Amino acid sequence: MLDHLKSNNRNWANRKVAVDAGFFRRLEQQQAPEYLWIGCSDSRVPANEIVDLDPGELFVHRNVANLAPPQDANYLSVLQFAVDVLKVKHIMVVGHYGCGGVSAAVDGKRRGLVDHWLHPIRDVAHEHRDELNAIPDTRARLDRLCELNVMRQVRNVASDVFLQDAWARGQPISVHGWVYSLSNGLITDLDVTVNRPDQIGDIGLGEI
Ligand code: CO
């Protein structure tokens, strides 16, 4: 079963060792990634591949619609490990245009558990309803909601006590908001980077 995947794996491992004989031995000793990627589970948004990074260089957390919910133990565990143990220097929240999770949050259809998971996106849509309703094109409106969702998750990450404590002890760490385009493979930086607690209000969503 799945023989093609096992064969792919052997070929991939062989190629890595052919270029760098100590590649896996080195990674076995420790991981020291500088980046935490919080992205969507969508199969078209493969974290390492998009930014062309090797194993060991990117700590990754993915879920439906790239959320950073302040009560989600899975995300919080990843965040704390990345900040306190790995001491990553950058956290990127990476959304993508055409996100099925974002559109499912606001299309009014019932799907079950995921409707609860996507609740924070409906909150974002409601808070920004005036701006969103002024965009006549549905696709453009959803793309803007993808951006607003990323901005909100950047705020969630930056306002988390793990980040607040890291900054208080002088640890350098930045939180970035990016959106990936499925149509051309390119990332857009939303320019909402937070390097210090007092920049959280500059994200453009108003004060907490
Ligand atoms: Co998505």
Side-chain angles (χ1 to χ4, degrees), residues 39-42 44-45 63-66 94-102 146:
C40 185
S41 297
D42 193 304
R44 298 165 295 180
V45 194
N63 58 40
V64 174
N66 42 269
V94 188
H96 66 103
Y97 297 122
C99 182
V102 168
C146 288

Side-chain angles (χ1 to χ4, degrees), residues 5 12 26 28-29 35-36 40 44 51 58 61 73 79-80 90 106 113 129 132 137 139 147 154 169 184-185 205:
L5 297 185
W12 171 78
R26 222 170 35 248
E28 192 181 17
Q29 301 307 315
Y35 316 99
L36 166 62
C40 185
R44 298 165 295 180
V51 284
L58 194 63
H61 180 72
L79 182 67
Q80 181 173 31
H90 301 275
V106 293
L113 180 59
R129 59 190 179 281
L132 291 167
D137 180 64
R139 174 74 190 267
E147 295 178 351
V154 167
R169 62 180 178 254
N184 61 14
L205 297 171

Side-chain angles (χ1 to χ4, degrees), residues 126-139:
H126 182 72
E127 283 173 28
H128 296 269
R129 59 190 179 281
D130 292 342
E131 177 188 349
L132 291 167
N133 289 339
I135 304 173
D137 180 64
T138 304
R139 174 74 190 267

Side-chain angles (χ1 to χ4, degrees), residues 60-80:
V60 174
H61 180 72
R62 290 169 69 180
N63 58 40
V64 174
N66 42 269
L67 297 181
Q71 293 87 19
D72 178 43
N74 183 356
Y75 146 71
L76 289 172
S77 303
V78 169
L79 182 67
Q80 181 173 31

Side-chain angles (χ1 to χ4, degrees), residues 121-198:
I121 299 177
R122 283 194 293 282
D123 276 346
V124 173
H126 182 72
E127 283 173 28
H128 296 269
R129 59 190 179 281
D130 292 342
E131 177 188 349
L132 291 167
N133 289 339
I135 304 173
D137 180 64
T138 304
R139 174 74 190 267
R141 192 164 59 245
L142 287 171
D143 283 350
R144 180 57 182 156
L145 182 54
C146 288
E147 295 178 351
L148 291 167
N149 179 45
V150 167
M151 292 158 74
R152 170 61 68 89
Q153 306 315 314
V154 167
R155 192 174 81 178
N156 282 0
V157 173
S159 56
D160 194 278
V161 289
F162 297 141
L163 269 289
Q164 298 288 314
D165 290 352
W167 281 320
R169 62 180 178 254
Q171 186 179 329
I173 185 163
S174 303
V175 187
H176 310 263
W178 291 358
V179 184
Y180 174 76
S181 172
L182 297 173
S183 60
N184 61 14
L186 297 177
I187 283 166
T188 301
D189 188 336
L190 294 176
D191 280 326
V192 291
T193 300
V194 179
N195 306 293
R196 304 185 309 269
D198 63 303

